[in-house]
Amino acid sequence: MGLFDFFTREIAIDLGTANTLIIMNDKVVVDEPSIVAKDIQSGAIVAIGKTAQQMHGKTHKLIETIRPLKDGVIADFESAEQMIRGMIKMIHTGNRLITPSLRMVICIPSGITEVEMRAVKESAERVNGKEVYLIHEPMAAAIGIGLDIMQPKGNMIVDIGGGTTEIAVIALGGIVCDKSVKIAGDVFTNDIIYYMRTQHNLYVGESTAENIKIEIGSATEDLQTPPDEKSVQGRDLLTGKPKQVQISYREIAKALDKSILRVEDAVMETLSQTPPELAADIYNTGIYLAGGGSMLRGLDRRLSQKTDLPVYIAEDPLRAVVRGTGIALKNLERYKSILIK
Ligand code: ADP
Ligand code: MG
């Protein structure tokens, strides 16, 4: 081990629109929502990740919560950098006297622009990143799922995150065709807020709607193992009083239907642009799902019925991308051609 190695840490970062994860030494050392809370007057960061999340929707005049990567783009560069810095600081390095320099691979949503990519890279360099590589999300997801992406064989990946759904066909270590649509977890959550307002006159916040989605959300009205009804509390739009209603998964399936249709359409469109030899491969291998949105009940079955293909959900779908990013970090030589220096 050279002196350089001794002072160098290697980390892999999945900079997601909803969650940021960091792997160091094969372990997930950070897994936090991509959110910061700021003091409006001084601009100082008061909380990052889970603690900032708890403040979301409950802030007063002097504090605001910001999701720097909302909608699959970097909406707020300064907050994004502060967030990356804060999350890296969360890693307990053992030795506080020296700040090690970092070799990093960062996974970025593939919809982000050249300028945004440069901004992420520069932010990383400012937090002591001496060697910084970027990797596109569908690539990282595919590696994390365990696919051999270097083979002359087509694979289709659908990563449903918070801000975007990224669909890609990968072969020979490259993206052959892809599509990124801004219909994903956040839109599903907003659909639920809208549904509650229009069908039940109930005004619910984002966190409540997200809980509904996770606890009883569904992509279809005929689930084989349906979840129990859920009591939902919010504010009555007519009387202004707090109130509670009972909701079934069928209602949520109705609320989400239009958005799921758009995800289906995007998958169909990507399939129709796939070169025939690769389409033949996908006929045999099927479609792989990753990202938190892939856990929506019945979504895999619905996509399978639509495409007539087998659909598989990645093991631990929220971590597939960071896992893949970590594998790329450990095998820099092998994955040289897909990393963006
Ligand atoms: P990103 O990569 O954009 O940060 P993630 O892959 O971390 O996104 O997924 C986050 C999204 O997944 C959020 O919108 C969250 O609400 C959603 N999600 C998490 N768990 C579930 C679940 N069990 N069912 C449906 N959606 C879920
Ligand atoms: Mg992601």
Side-chain angles (χ1 to χ4, degrees):
M1 192 166 71
L3 200 59
F4 179 70
D5 296 325
F6 190 73
F7 292 111
T8 302
R9 289 260 148 59
E10 296 194 327
I11 60 173
I13 306 182
D14 168 13
L15 192 58
T17 60
N19 296 297
T20 295
L21 291 88
I22 303 182
I23 280 188
M24 189 173 79
N25 297 333
D26 300 322
K27 273 205 291 289
V28 175
V29 288
V30 173
D31 183 351
E32 298 277 339
S34 304
I35 181 166
V36 297
K38 257 189 194 180
D39 179 315
I40 289 177
Q41 279 172 330
S42 67
I45 297 283
V46 292
I48 291 176
K50 288 182 198 92
T51 39
Q53 174 84 43
Q54 283 158 3
M55 301 176 181
H56 199 47
K58 298 185 180 176
T59 50
H60 51 72
K61 281 200 231 57
L62 299 179
I63 291 181
E64 64 173 338
T65 50
I66 302 170
R67 285 182 52 189
L69 279 88
K70 209 161 166 100
D71 298 327
V73 295
I74 301 182
D76 181 336
F77 285 103
E78 194 192 315
S79 306
E81 179 166 336
Q82 287 166 325
M83 186 181 79
I84 297 171
R85 185 185 291 277
M87 300 246 184
I88 289 175
K89 274 204 190 129
M90 287 178 188
I91 307 172
H92 183 72
T93 50
N95 190 339
R96 283 148 198 272
L97 290 176
I98 43 163
T99 333
S101 59
L102 298 166
R103 180 181 293 132
M104 328 187 202
V105 178
I106 306 176
C107 176
I108 44 159
S110 55
I112 81 172
T113 62
E114 202 73 30
V115 175
E116 291 176 321
M117 262 200 257
R118 206 166 316 131
V120 170
K121 209 175 163 225
E122 282 167 9
S123 293
E125 281 160 0
R126 276 194 290 270
V127 294
N128 232 6
K130 291 289 174 299
E131 228 182 291
V132 181
Y133 305 87
L134 304 181
I135 183 170
H136 280 301
E137 174 151 20
M139 285 290 187
I143 298 171
I145 286 167
L147 303 173
D148 187 351
I149 58 162
M150 296 302 184
Q151 290 290 315
K153 193 169 173 196
N155 279 297
M156 180 178 255
I157 315 294
V158 179
D159 179 347
I160 308 169
T164 57
T165 292
E166 318 241 346
I167 305 160
V169 173
I170 293 172
L172 288 169
I175 295 176
V176 181
C177 42
D178 67 337
K179 199 166 172 57
S180 172
V181 290
K182 292 187 173 152
I183 307 285
D186 291 339
V187 170
F188 301 160
T189 300
N190 281 327
D191 288 342
I192 294 172
I193 294 176
Y194 180 78
Y195 179 90
M196 296 305 289
R197 201 170 59 209
T198 51
Q199 301 298 312
H200 293 280
N201 284 317
L202 188 70
Y203 189 21
V204 299
E206 227 173 86
S207 307
T208 300
E210 188 178 11
N211 282 337
I212 299 173
K213 177 179 74 179
I214 292 172
E215 285 173 36
I216 62 165
S218 172
T220 134
E221 285 187 54
D222 62 310
L223 282 180
Q224 282 152 344
T225 45
D228 290 343
E229 288 202 341
K230 180 176 164 59
S231 331
V232 175
Q233 298 86 19
R235 189 179 86 208
D236 188 309
L237 279 166
L238 301 174
T239 66
K241 290 190 274 191
K243 96 168 168 186
Q244 168 170 307
V245 296
Q246 289 291 113
I247 299 294
S248 79
Y249 84 90
R250 284 205 176 82
E251 289 185 77
I252 305 304
K254 280 199 195 83
L256 301 182
D257 187 57
K258 274 209 189 83
S259 298
I260 309 273
L261 256 175
R262 291 180 63 186
V263 173
E264 278 181 347
D265 287 346
V267 170
M268 293 305 288
E269 209 179 307
T270 314
L271 280 173
S272 72
Q273 288 160 1
T274 306
E277 292 298 343
L278 298 177
D281 291 340
I282 292 167
Y283 182 83
N284 292 312
T285 52
I287 299 174
Y288 292 90
L289 303 185
S294 70
M295 292 192 283
L296 190 69
R297 291 172 190 75
L299 183 62
D300 51 343
R301 198 155 55 93
R302 183 163 163 177
L303 277 176
S304 175
Q305 275 160 1
K306 177 83 182 186
T307 57
D308 286 319
L309 293 168
V311 173
Y312 307 100
I313 302 174
E315 188 189 331
D316 203 355
L318 283 164
R319 290 186 169 187
V321 166
V322 76
R323 229 162 35 226
T325 310
I327 294 171
L329 171 71
K330 274 177 78 179
N331 303 276
L332 283 180
E333 262 312 297
R334 173 170 159 82
Y335 291 112
K336 202 166 52 194
S337 61
I338 66 168
L339 294 169
I340 311 154
K341 179 92 211 219

